[in-house]
Amino acid sequence: MILCECGEIIKDRTFKDYIKTSANPSTCTIGHQKCGFIFDFFDGKKPKKYSSRTELKCLAVCFAKKNKLEQNNIGKFLVEVDRLKSSGTLSDYDILLGAYIKLNEVQFV
Ligand SMILES: [Zn+2]
């Protein structure tokens, strides 16, 4: 499961592509069909943004909508995002994905 730069969790809507990395001029990778973002796993350019608490909240709401969380889960999701943000050191990416995984764990129990 990957979180795209556009804020959507990608499960299967990807395409194959080849990019230039420091290892190989044509390294096989994947992109997100919907927004066209291409991932660079080799050089590890994962989005590493650290937003303020307010910005993060907007991102989280947007993320919840994009990934079609149910209304009563959005609240839980936002609480979890807030909790992870309070722990201090996580990037936006880790927080959103962490909260999303946590939410699904709870649901599947
Ligand atoms: Zn995308």
Side-chain angles (χ1 to χ4, degrees), residues 34-76:
K34 210 165 160 189
C35 71
F37 181 78
I38 292 166
F39 293 91
D40 183 347
F41 297 109
F42 192 85
D43 290 327
K45 283 187 209 118
K46 252 195 335 185
K48 277 274 175 202
K49 250 186 87 205
Y50 297 87
S51 301
S52 72
R53 194 171 276 265
T54 323
E55 280 171 338
L56 185 65
K57 185 140 195 187
C58 295
L59 278 177
V61 170
C62 181
F63 175 92
K65 281 184 189 152
K66 276 195 171 166
N67 293 289
K68 299 185 175 58
L69 295 189
E70 287 178 28
Q71 198 60 42
N72 60 337
N73 281 333
I74 292 178
K76 288 181 209 158

Side-chain angles (χ1 to χ4, degrees), residues 3-8 10 31-37 39 66:
L3 176 59
C4 181
E5 191 107 301
C6 72
E8 210 167 288
I10 307 175
H32 187 200
Q33 233 164 45
K34 210 165 160 189
C35 71
F37 181 78
F39 293 91
K66 276 195 171 166

